[in-house]
Amino acid sequence: MERICNLVRNGTHQAVFIMAGPGIGKSAVTNAVTDRLAGTMSILRIHASSALAGVPFGVLTPYTGDLTAEESVSPVAVLRSMWSYFEKLKGTSSSPVLLVVDDAHHLDDASAGVLAEVISAGWATVVAAARPRPGLPQPLDQLWYDGLAERVDLRPLNHEQIEEVLAHILDGAVPGATVDAIWNASGGNPRLLDALLHDAAEAGVLAKRNGIWMLLGELPADGARLAAVVAKDHLRRGPEEQEALKLIALAGPVGRKVIEDISGAAVVRSLLDQQMIVEAPGIPAELSMWNGLFAGAIRNTVSVSRSLQLLEKVKAHQNPTLLQGEGRLRSVEWALECGIRVSDEEMLAAAKEALLRFRNHSARSIAARIHHPPLVPLAQAIQARALYNEGAYADAAALLDGCWLPLADDTEGPAVLMLRVSAHQALGRSVGVVADDVERHPALSGGEDSWQEELLHLLHLGADVNVAALEDAVNGMRTRRTGTAGEPLRALAEGLLAHALASAGRPVEGLEAALLAASELPPLEGSLFFFPEFVLGRLVSDYLAMGEWESAEREINHYAAANSPGAATFNGSLQLLQGYSLLRQGRMERAYQVLLPAVEALRLNDPLQLYRFGSALGFYAAARLGDAEQARRLEQDHKDAAAGWPAHDLLAEAYVAAAAEYLARDGKGLAALQTLMTTTEASARTGNLLEVLAMCWELGDPSVVPMVQAAARGVEGRWAEALLTLATAWEGADGDTLMATAASLEEAGFVNLAREAYARASTVLEQAGERRRSRQAVAQREKCDHELGERFREGRFIAAAPAVRLTRREQDIVELAVQGLTDREIAQRLMVSVRTVEGHLYRTYVKLGVRSRDELESALPK
């Protein structure tokens, strides 16, 4: 906006053309320009419209009122009249004239020609707003080619800009998942963004939970603001375009020829030019609305009787055998909305399609209408999976309890039984509860040939992390290919083995099992159980156990990019995996930023039963960073959580104990960790044991270093090797060796371990009287601190001199305070309470000997 004002003021161009698609903000920009220049220029407005596009000089009528009928169609007479109008205006005001043209793409050629003459003659400066398609009329476009006009293109907001807008509007932290959902739904369109935010907040879908803005459901397509946007758009259109848009919104994706046959090819081309609809190439080519929520809002404006009329029109021109995917789903939804009977077979196929696209409400409502007895069990299973996706585990379990047995011989049988186990586990029940129920049914074959018993046996072994038994079971399955349950059982078995091997310190072998599990996924595409997400968790766990941080991140990002429809269901799980990776790398600030929203997301929806483990990690990160208030809340969350997947319990218990020690520093948490290390469970899981030992070491207990060495020798992967290298150098207590070790660890990407090596080296060198080299080690340690605190990579206060002893949290808060942020703004940025910020600032004042913020910068170490 400021750029446009400067262009007008400078007079380097007589015209500025603002080009943008619908809803991007052309009107808002022109209004802001006129408001800014109103005091220095005489402002006139021309409102072009599609209704006047066919009337020569129609939009110029306010300035040609004195002309006769014959003169009103003469370009010369119209031009003279415009000149006279401007002269009269200058007689009452000496200010230059600014002519603002709205929707200039609707100008008729005659009016555009007159405006081009006005611009060329310098009678007025023109600011014209138009859409890129169909674009400006030729006379105005020529001025731009000739250099007499400047063009400014407005683009949809990108992801970062949406993030900035949300941060500015919403009082609290906005996690990446919320930003992603709103960005995808709005398409970066500012007008739509504004409507969505208001409607979502009004409906309670966008809500603040523990200081974090979460989406508690699907963004509404029936909100008042969105309805107003649609209504305003419709008022500007002729009846032909309105009907075509309704047809495409109701039927889309729909064949282009179908709409052309009904509404005409010219109307379709016009809507494509205006970017209101998009075309997907193919045979046949299909049309859809440019935005899904906009389409939903249009559908809400159509009465049932009118919708039925439009449906009959489409059916008269549509070949139903060509419908597939989303088009087939939409045809069933539309028919049901109009009260038309649809066969149970068609509804079952549509419900499956809706589930595949994570359109859970649609899947449930369609499947609930199926009454043909042989199809009812599968329809109930589809409803159960949709409920499971929405976090309604009790309702899902109730449906699955009734439908799993009739599906025992169905290809979906294993998936349904696994989903049933998961639903009951989400309610805090064990695998044994479901197993007892299965065993009581004599209708099942029983014995060694029962895939139900084999499946439940595998789940038992996985929950117990029984590596030897899982290896035996998997080796047997690898040599035989049996029955319809083969792929799901093998995917399950390999995935469980992958996790167990990582826990036992054999993540390289575990990765092989996880990759074998992934190879079983193609035949399971569209299954009622979430096999891809189950396998993804195991892949990432193995990479993290190996210390392959980048590979873990790659797997998470690849899944997120390829499976955006499932974001609402699995985002919390993905965030937790990301947060766990960052925590393992020692990047506590970033881990905390990811883990807090992850816990809130898992509180709503926890398909992989990670909430209990996630709250433990969140508690640990909060305690490490000194955020006592959040730490205590997360500790309570962990205590209140239903039992999660049992294989995570050991590590969850360890992180809770370590967090308690960081919080209280009373030795109780450390003692609990030391007791945990001696349990049979820990000694059988060398990989988990090494992680527990590392926590003890980080808490300042060097007595575990020999145990770290012993455990690390039996664990595969780069992380264990790095830890063994650090422990060996630590015990050797040689300054040169420690410095070399630290450098190699830093180069290998284990910055948090390098930091500890530099810290140890500084102490050893100081004791040896080598103060200069000791200071070098301190500087290198602070460099590692700097890198681990990625958000403040350029900050001046990370590497405070050791004598001052500001904590990391204090350093972060001080840096933001010196930048001028208020206590509330700092709290929002760091996702802590205002009280926490105030407490840290007060302690910092005492340490630095100052009394206020104004004295902070000068008192900080240089």
Side-chain angles (χ1 to χ4, degrees):
M1 191 269 289
E2 193 61 41
R3 179 192 170 197
I4 296 169
C5 290
N6 290 335
L7 288 169
V8 173
R9 289 194 195 100
N10 296 340
T12 53
H13 296 85
Q14 283 299 118
V16 179
F17 300 148
I18 303 171
M19 311 298 291
I24 299 300
K26 300 183 299 295
S27 298
V29 171
T30 55
N31 289 337
V33 169
T34 55
D35 289 344
R36 180 69 63 88
L37 300 177
T40 58
M41 303 186 79
S42 298
I43 297 177
L44 303 176
R45 295 200 81 125
I46 292 176
H47 298 277
S49 68
S50 57
L52 291 173
V55 181
F57 306 115
V59 297
L60 302 180
T61 301
Y63 311 107
T64 60
D66 295 336
L67 297 180
T68 66
E70 290 182 0
E71 291 174 329
S72 65
V73 294
S74 167
V76 175
V78 171
L79 199 55
R80 283 193 189 124
S81 180
M82 295 282 288
W83 167 256
S84 299
Y85 193 96
F86 293 154
E87 286 301 300
K88 288 177 184 178
L89 191 62
K90 289 178 181 178
T92 59
S93 171
S94 59
S95 303
V97 177
L98 175 64
L99 191 58
V100 179
V101 185
D102 294 317
D103 292 332
H105 51 282
H106 286 313
L107 284 173
D108 61 281
D109 286 340
S111 297
V114 168
L115 288 177
E117 293 291 342
V118 168
I119 294 168
S120 300
W123 295 351
T125 301
V126 173
V127 172
R131 293 182 182 176
R133 297 174 65 185
L136 291 164
Q138 193 277 332
L140 296 180
D141 226 8
Q142 188 63 45
L143 293 177
W144 178 53
Y145 286 119
D146 293 342
L148 295 176
E150 180 72 13
R151 173 171 168 151
V152 176
D153 288 278
L154 303 181
R155 307 290 184 190
L157 299 176
N158 60 31
H159 188 278
E160 290 182 2
Q161 290 168 328
I162 291 281
E163 191 171 11
E164 289 176 12
V165 169
L166 295 179
H168 178 73
I169 293 174
L170 302 177
D171 175 26
V174 186
T178 302
V179 176
D180 290 344
I182 292 174
W183 180 50
N184 290 328
S186 68
N189 186 296
R191 182 174 57 172
L192 202 55
L193 173 64
D194 179 69
L196 287 178
L197 289 178
H198 280 90
D199 289 344
E202 187 72 23
V205 173
L206 180 63
K208 196 175 182 181
R209 295 289 183 89
N210 294 311
I212 298 169
W213 285 96
M214 305 293 298
L215 285 175
L216 308 184
E218 294 182 2
L219 287 163
D222 56 354
R225 290 291 185 102
L226 188 56
V229 170
V230 171
K232 184 178 179 181
D233 180 82
H234 267 32
L235 287 173
R236 300 164 56 187
R237 301 185 181 283
E240 298 85 0
E241 286 192 354
Q242 287 190 30
E243 177 163 296
L245 285 174
K246 288 175 182 176
L247 285 168
I248 296 168
L250 286 162
V254 59
R256 176 171 179 167
K257 188 176 185 305
V258 173
I259 304 302
E260 287 181 336
D261 288 347
I262 298 171
S263 301
V267 171
V268 170
R269 283 196 302 271
S270 174
L271 292 174
L272 284 168
D273 284 342
Q274 297 172 55
Q275 299 174 307
M276 291 304 298
I277 60 176
V278 294
E279 181 179 19
I283 303 175
E286 291 185 326
L287 300 177
S288 301
M289 292 296 299
W290 72 277
N291 179 275
L293 279 176
F294 201 90
I298 290 178
R299 290 196 291 268
N300 290 330
T301 67
V302 184
S303 67
V304 174
S305 58
R306 179 61 178 146
S307 182
L308 183 58
Q309 290 176 339
L310 295 173
L311 175 59
E312 293 302 325
K313 279 189 177 183
V314 169
K315 288 175 71 175
H317 296 85
Q318 190 175 59
N319 182 354
T321 62
L322 296 179
L323 291 173
Q324 55 186 346
E326 190 173 2
R328 184 181 183 186
L329 167 60
R330 184 61 208 141
S331 71
V332 171
E333 290 175 329
W334 192 8
L336 294 175
E337 289 163 6
C338 293
I340 296 176
R341 189 181 181 284
V342 180
S343 72
D344 282 12
E345 289 77 11
E346 286 181 276
M347 287 194 290
L348 188 66
K352 286 181 177 179
E353 185 69 31
L355 196 60
L356 190 64
R357 298 174 182 277
F358 285 85
R359 284 165 52 176
N360 300 311
H361 175 75
S362 183
R364 286 192 289 109
S365 61
I366 294 173
R369 296 170 182 263
I370 295 171
H371 299 296
H372 185 47
L375 302 181
V376 168
L378 186 55
Q380 290 178 331
I382 290 171
Q383 292 178 69
R385 173 61 199 272
L387 288 164
Y388 192 93
N389 288 346
E390 296 171 331
Y393 301 121
D395 293 337
L399 276 172
L400 291 164
D401 286 346
C403 72
W404 73 271
L405 187 59
L407 294 172
D409 296 325
D410 190 273
T411 55
E412 284 286 2
V416 171
L417 186 54
M418 289 176 68
L419 189 62
R420 184 181 178 222
V421 171
S422 298
H424 280 283
Q425 282 188 318
L427 298 172
R429 300 164 190 158
S430 68
V431 178
V433 172
V434 182
D436 292 342
D437 190 33
V438 171
E439 290 171 0
R440 285 198 299 270
H441 283 277
L444 299 177
S445 61
E448 294 182 1
D449 295 330
S450 169
W451 65 258
Q452 291 90 355
E453 290 187 8
E454 187 173 11
L455 185 153
L456 293 168
H457 179 60
L458 288 170
L459 289 172
H460 271 301
L461 298 179
D464 294 339
V465 198
N466 190 329
V467 180
L470 277 170
E471 283 185 300
D472 289 342
V474 168
N475 287 333
M477 297 178 77
R478 286 174 179 172
T479 59
R480 59 184 167 88
R481 298 270 169 178
T482 57
T484 57
E487 288 91 356
L489 283 182
R490 284 192 293 272
L492 172 67
E494 297 285 5
L496 293 174
L497 177 61
H499 185 93
L501 287 169
S503 300
R506 296 158 60 189
V508 176
E509 294 178 63
L511 181 62
E512 293 176 6
L515 291 172
L516 284 171
S519 72
E520 301 286 353
L521 293 181
L524 301 175
E525 186 176 352
S527 169
L528 290 179
F529 186 72
F530 34 91
F531 286 104
E533 294 76 17
F534 171 81
V535 172
L536 173 70
R538 275 62 193 174
L539 269 174
V540 172
S541 295
D542 281 297
Y543 277 127
L544 293 182
M546 293 164 63
E548 302 290 348
W549 321 125
E550 292 181 359
S551 297
E553 186 76 13
R554 184 190 65 241
E555 292 292 342
I556 295 170
N557 291 339
H558 176 74
Y559 172 86
N563 297 272
S564 57
T569 300
F570 291 100
N571 243 325
S573 303
L574 295 182
Q575 286 178 308
L576 178 66
L577 292 173
Q578 288 175 321
Y580 185 36
S581 174
L582 292 165
L583 187 149
R584 291 287 302 270
Q585 296 173 57
R587 303 184 187 277
M588 284 298 155
E589 281 285 357
R590 287 194 61 209
Y592 193 36
Q593 289 179 343
V594 174
L595 287 170
L596 274 184
V599 171
E600 293 307 317
L602 291 171
R603 192 192 306 277
L604 299 171
N605 202 332
D606 184 22
L608 298 176
Q609 275 95 66
L610 294 173
Y611 174 67
R612 197 162 187 270
F613 182 53
S615 59
L617 296 182
F619 176 29
Y620 177 81
R624 280 286 300 264
L625 294 171
D627 189 350
E629 186 176 332
Q630 285 279 31
R632 292 191 181 93
R633 181 183 66 76
L634 289 161
E635 181 182 23
Q636 191 60 48
D637 285 344
H638 180 77
K639 290 177 179 176
D640 295 341
W645 178 242
H648 297 300
D649 287 348
L650 174 65
L651 283 180
E653 188 178 347
Y655 277 106
V656 166
E661 182 63 29
Y662 279 112
L663 205 58
R665 288 293 183 181
D666 57 3
K668 293 180 181 178
L670 189 57
L673 277 175
Q674 292 165 341
T675 300
L676 189 62
M677 291 185 305
T678 63
T679 62
T680 305
E681 186 180 21
S683 60
R685 305 183 197 173
T686 315
N688 291 162
L689 175 61
L690 186 59
E691 198 169 339
V692 176
L693 289 167
M695 290 183 217
C696 289
W697 194 0
E698 287 176 340
L699 277 165
D701 180 12
S703 67
V704 301
V705 173
M707 298 172 66
V708 167
Q709 290 177 282
R713 289 190 182 98
V715 175
E716 299 172 341
R718 294 173 63 246
W719 179 69
E721 291 175 8
L723 208 55
L724 176 59
T725 300
L726 174 61
T728 303
W730 186 286
E731 280 218 310
D734 178 77
D736 293 335
T737 302
L738 283 162
M739 289 294 285
T741 297
S744 66
L745 290 171
E746 189 176 2
E747 185 178 356
F750 298 100
V751 181
N752 57 330
L753 300 184
R755 176 184 59 192
E756 301 305 320
Y758 283 127
R760 173 70 163 163
S762 69
T763 301
V764 170
L765 291 168
E766 179 72 25
Q767 291 171 347
E770 298 186 50
R771 293 186 176 179
R772 183 184 62 81
R773 296 195 63 209
S774 175
R775 287 195 295 272
Q776 288 177 343
V778 169
Q780 290 297 110
R781 189 264 298 167
E782 290 171 348
K783 176 174 169 285
C784 292
D785 283 341
H786 196 156
E787 183 174 346
L788 293 171
E790 284 188 339
R791 290 187 310 109
F792 305 107
R793 191 176 292 280
E794 301 303 323
R796 291 167 290 167
F797 312 117
I798 290 296
V804 177
R805 292 298 177 191
L806 294 184
T807 67
R808 282 292 309 283
R809 176 64 79 184
E810 287 166 351
Q811 294 168 19
D812 296 343
I813 289 174
V814 165
E815 175 162 29
L816 295 175
V818 171
Q819 291 175 14
L821 275 68
T822 65
D823 290 356
R824 179 169 294 280
E825 289 169 337
I826 295 171
Q828 291 172 4
R829 182 79 65 86
L830 299 180
M831 293 191 293
V832 298
S833 68
V834 174
R835 184 175 297 177
T836 297
V837 173
E838 292 170 345
H840 279 300
L841 279 176
Y842 175 77
R843 287 190 290 275
T844 303
Y845 294 164
V846 173
K847 288 181 178 181
L848 298 176
V850 300
R851 292 171 293 180
S852 68
R853 289 174 179 248
D854 297 334
E855 301 174 16
L856 267 179
E857 186 166 11
S858 60
L860 281 162
K862 305 301 181 186

